[in-house]
Structure formats: C-alpha cells, structure tokens
Amino acid sequence: MPGVMTLTPSKGGVRRLQNVDTLRFSLVHKSYTPPFLRLPNELLAYILDLAVHASSDREDFDRVPVILSQVSSRIRSVARATGSLWTRIVFTFPFDSEDLISLAIRLSLSKGCPLDVCLDLRDPEWDWDLDSDETDHDFTADDMQILLTVLLPHARRFRSLEVLCDTWEPVHAFLSRTQTVGSLPLLETLRLARCNAYFAKKGQVFEPESLKAPLPLFGGATLPRLKQLSLSGVHVDWQSLSLTGLTSLELKFHAADIMPSVDAFSDLLAGCSSSLTSLNILGWGPQFYDKTESLKPIVMPHVTKFHVGFLDVTYGSSLLSILEFPKLAYLYLEDLSPVISPEDRTDASAVLETLLTSHEASLGSHMSLASLTSLTLHGMITRLPVTQDFLSHLTSLVELNLFSLDNAIFRSLLPTAPAAPVGFDLPCPSVESISCRSVDVISLAGLVGLRKSMNPSLPLHQLIFIARDTTNWSALEPIQLALANVGVSLELTAL
C-alpha cells in the first residue's frame, strides 16, 4: 500500500498519520465508508439540519445546503429529501431567470415546511436623495410581479417575511398583488420597508401622490400567529389592520401625511394592548388635529420596551404626553434630526420635561421613571438642570447608554447638590454599566472615575466603549488602568 510513514515522532503520532494516509488511499479506491455515512437516514438528516441552521449569517442560508449536497451522492439524496434544509430563502437584487429557477427548485425542495423568506431588493448603488427619480431604479413593479408569481403559491407556509425595497412602486406592487393572498396561518414575523428615511423629514409629504391611497395589509387577511410587525416607510389601511396577539410593533420613517389619526392609532394599539410588550415609533406617529390636552391617554399596560425617535421636539413631547406605560423598564429616547435633517436640530429638553411632568402628575401611573432599568439617550441636546432632574428620578436604573452626545450631558451624572456630603444625591445611583458610542470616551471615563471616588460603594463596574475605528484603542490603556483602580472595567467593542 502506498504512503508508508518514514517519520516516527511518537507512537500516537505515527498512528494518526497512518490513519490519514489509509483514509486517503481508501477514498481514492472507493473502499472506505466514513462512520457518519453508516448512520440511518433519519439521523443523517438531523445532523444536516443542525449544520444548516447553525449559522445566522444570511449568506450561509443558500450555500450551506448546496455545499452539503455535494459531499456524496447519499448525502445529496438525504438532503434533497429533507425539506427543513431549504426553508430559509434569501433572494437579492439583481437577479435573472436562472435565479428564479433556483428559487422555484428550493421552494419545491422545502416541501411543506414553514418558510423564512427575505427579499432584499435594494440596490447598493442607489442614491437615496429625495430629488432622485424613482422610476430610474432597476428593480421595478414588473420585477416584483414576476418574483411574486414564484413565491405566492407558497404563501400559506410563510413563517417570517421580509421585503426591502429602495422605492415605492415595487412595494405598492407587493401590497396590490397580495390583496388576494388569503389566510397566512403560519406568519409570525413581518417586515416591510421602503428604505428611504428622508421621506420622514419635517414638512416632507408622501410621493408618488398617485400611489398614496392605502391598501389593506394582505387584503385584510387573518394573521392569527403574527407576533412581530415592522413597517418602515410603508403605510397600509390603518383602520383595517388587526394586530390581536402582536408582541412587537415598529413604525418608522413614514411621511407624516400618511400616518393614522389619533383615534385610528388608539384603536390600532388597543387591538394588541393585552399582548404588546415592545413598541418602536421612529419619526412620526399619529397625526394630531386637536390639542393633546383634550385627548384620551392611550394605555399600553404590558409594554416594557419603548423606543421613540423624534424629528420635531414639540411633536415628540405631544406623542409622549398621550402614551401611558405603567410597566415600562427599557426607554430609548432619540433625536433623529442629526441624521435626517441636521438643520432642524433643536434643544430637546422639552421631551424630558414632558416625561417628568407626566411622571409627577400621575404619581407614576403614566410612566414610572423610578421603575426604569435601562435608558438610552441618543443624539439629544438638553439643558443641564433638566437632564439632572430627569436622571435624579431614575433610582432603579441599571444600564445607561449614551450615544452621539455632547460632553456637557456627562455633567448630569454628577451630584445635583455640590455642597452635599460625599456620595450624596448622585443621579442614577444603581447604574452598573454605562455604554457609549460617538462620544468623548476620555471625558466620560474621567466622570465615571469621579463618581466612584465620591462613593466607592456604587455598583457601577463597567464602561463599554463602542466604535467603528479600532486603530487607536491602544491609547486608551492608561484610562483602563485608571478605571481599574476604582473598580471599573473599560471594555472596547467594535461596531
């Protein structure tokens, strides 16, 4: 037999080399069957299923089952007979007729299994500028119709569905074509996006006007298992939308003129008030036609996570004034204007003042600031006294995230009464971890060290710095050492 070993480093080493050489010879001469190929088909299918679903990388969803199918004829046979290996569908732009044929084959191979479908039809080269002519986009409404011809016969098997487009016409084609889709009994997660946040700019109206009229989502079909819904720049007939059983709702980057009235918005949330635990509103929520003082509060008794991003401080304050979250634990406050319309950025202190007023007037039934365990402040400019007053109420806060903020806000974490005894009246006394991004980490680290020196018994033990550029992290080593001396670790995380 070829492959005689001449090196003898150890008995175990020789044995391993001989085994590898024997395997190579046996495979060449078709005389060896690896142990895993001796398994029953059921076990082999189970192992393949674990391998396919081990990765969360979308690029692996398509290629891993194909690669596994090429190992041997038996594995290919088992793989093609195992529908669960082919259930994660990722279809991207651009595509041609061969890609559509491959999609049809994959859908066939998935047999009757529930499907997780992502249609990422965005063009990386597309210019998001509002002045761009959307009709110039290479992915058209006709392309969407062709794609849906292949997909919709399997719609009853959709477990999750994500549709991402740059322009409105393909989205409108999707909404129109799916009016007669019928029941979607397995659908749990739905995300529809027109990926152009600039339509949410203050004063911007929806375009194109000719396609503005809303359509019922899936023609008003029953969605008995829907738990998560995200609509980004995509509007539907709000009054016909039934969200019973929904646990997570996200509405973001819509033009203001296509949003529901306060009454329709209230009815929308009332339909899922017994189940909703997470609510994100980025940009615009309901349209206010009356003064908010005359409006009935919208109570969300089970929501624990709320992310509000505002483009207009007055509107953001009005929205917060009509929402009640008696069980809120995670609050994310974000000024979106620095990204979408920097010229509109203003002092956002009124947003914090609204929360303070509501908290104090309702004795905590509106939103108990003392019950918050996590707070994120993102891109906001606020006055120091207001911020200190707000933070002083967060006595149970454990996690504080500070993103894209000026250094001035850091002073809000110092005592509000400088002449008080050491460690007295520190805002957020229960904070254990502070995360920061796009801030002056050196200034923040100095403040964190000062807090600990004021009161060494504070539970704060972690400062996390998140950044895209990691080239200068070695310069932070002295800060790490200084913080370590007061019991705080500085952790560096790449974004």
Side-chain angles (χ1 to χ4, degrees), residues 409-448:
I409 202 169
F410 300 158
R411 294 165 52 199
S412 305
L413 293 169
L414 293 178
T416 55
V422 173
F424 180 78
D425 204 21
L426 273 172
C428 310
S430 301
V431 164
E432 299 178 5
S433 175
I434 297 178
S435 297
C436 60
R437 186 175 75 224
S438 301
V439 302
D440 183 349
V441 68
I442 295 178
S443 297
L444 180 57
L447 181 140
V448 168

Side-chain angles (χ1 to χ4, degrees), residues 333-360:
L333 300 174
E334 181 176 7
D335 186 348
L336 296 169
S337 59
V339 176
I340 298 177
S341 51
E343 68 279 5
D344 294 329
R345 193 182 190 192
T346 58
D347 185 331
S349 298
V351 170
L352 300 185
E353 289 173 331
T354 298
L355 293 173
L356 281 168
T357 301
S358 300
H359 168 80
E360 293 166 356

Side-chain angles (χ1 to χ4, degrees), residues 132-433:
S132 301
D133 186 349
E134 289 198 350
T135 60
D136 292 337
H137 200 286
D138 288 335
F139 183 73
T140 67
D142 290 340
D143 294 326
M144 177 64 82
Q145 294 284 3
I146 294 171
L147 179 55
L148 293 178
T149 299
V150 179
L151 273 173
L152 289 187
H154 305 271
R156 287 184 59 85
R157 295 197 284 131
F158 291 169
R159 177 171 52 195
S160 66
L161 177 61
E162 188 173 15
V163 182
L164 311 177
C165 297
D166 291 319
T167 62
W168 181 250
E169 285 193 0
V171 176
H172 188 268
F174 172 86
L175 294 172
S176 299
R177 181 69 179 272
T178 56
Q179 288 299 295
T180 57
V181 73
S183 177
L184 298 170
L186 302 183
L187 189 64
E188 298 175 358
T189 302
L190 176 64
R191 180 188 177 198
L192 304 178
R194 178 198 196 177
C195 301
N196 191 336
Y198 295 104
F199 274 100
K201 288 186 67 172
K202 185 178 180 180
Q204 175 64 41
V205 297
F206 178 86
E207 296 178 7
E209 175 69 27
S210 61
L211 299 179
K212 181 179 178 180
L215 294 170
L217 182 63
F218 299 124
T222 303
L223 305 173
R225 293 193 182 182
L226 189 65
K227 299 299 181 185
Q228 300 179 45
L229 174 62
S230 173
L231 298 176
S232 180
V234 176
H235 66 290
V236 296
D237 180 4
W238 304 112
Q239 293 183 325
S240 67
L241 188 59
S242 176
L243 301 179
T244 303
L246 200 73
T247 59
S248 175
L249 174 63
E250 179 176 65
L251 304 174
K252 65 178 185 178
F253 304 141
H254 293 87
D257 62 328
I258 57 174
M259 296 306 288
S261 66
V262 173
D263 287 341
F265 183 73
S266 180
D267 291 342
L268 185 70
L269 293 183
C272 56
S273 63
S274 63
S275 57
L276 197 71
T277 59
S278 176
L279 177 63
N280 296 346
I281 302 177
L282 306 184
W284 308 101
Q287 299 187 57
F288 293 111
Y289 301 112
D290 302 309
K291 292 184 178 180
T292 56
E293 292 85 355
S294 63
L295 297 175
K296 183 179 179 181
I298 301 174
V299 183
M300 302 305 297
H302 302 291
V303 168
T304 59
K305 297 181 179 180
F306 180 46
H307 181 177
V308 57
F310 52 88
L311 287 155
D312 178 83
V313 171
T314 301
Y315 179 87
S317 300
S318 297
L319 178 62
L320 287 168
S321 71
I322 66 167
L323 296 174
E324 292 190 4
F325 303 110
K327 292 186 179 180
L328 195 68
Y330 304 85
L331 177 61
Y332 195 130
L333 300 174
E334 181 176 7
D335 186 348
L336 296 169
S337 59
V339 176
I340 298 177
S341 51
E343 68 279 5
D344 294 329
R345 193 182 190 192
T346 58
D347 185 331
S349 298
V351 170
L352 300 185
E353 289 173 331
T354 298
L355 293 173
L356 281 168
T357 301
S358 300
H359 168 80
E360 293 166 356
S362 62
L363 299 177
S365 63
H366 173 93
M367 181 188 300
S368 177
L369 298 180
S371 299
L372 290 180
T373 58
S374 177
L375 171 69
T376 299
L377 299 177
H378 191 165
M380 296 174 63
I381 299 174
T382 54
R383 297 190 302 276
L384 179 60
V386 176
T387 312
Q388 285 181 320
D389 189 15
F390 179 74
L391 294 180
S392 69
H393 287 77
L394 308 183
T395 54
S396 300
L397 199 71
V398 175
E399 176 186 74
L400 178 61
N401 304 309
L402 305 173
F403 300 155
S404 303
L405 300 173
D406 296 333
N407 290 353
I409 202 169
F410 300 158
R411 294 165 52 199
S412 305
L413 293 169
L414 293 178
T416 55
V422 173
F424 180 78
D425 204 21
L426 273 172
C428 310
S430 301
V431 164
E432 299 178 5
S433 175

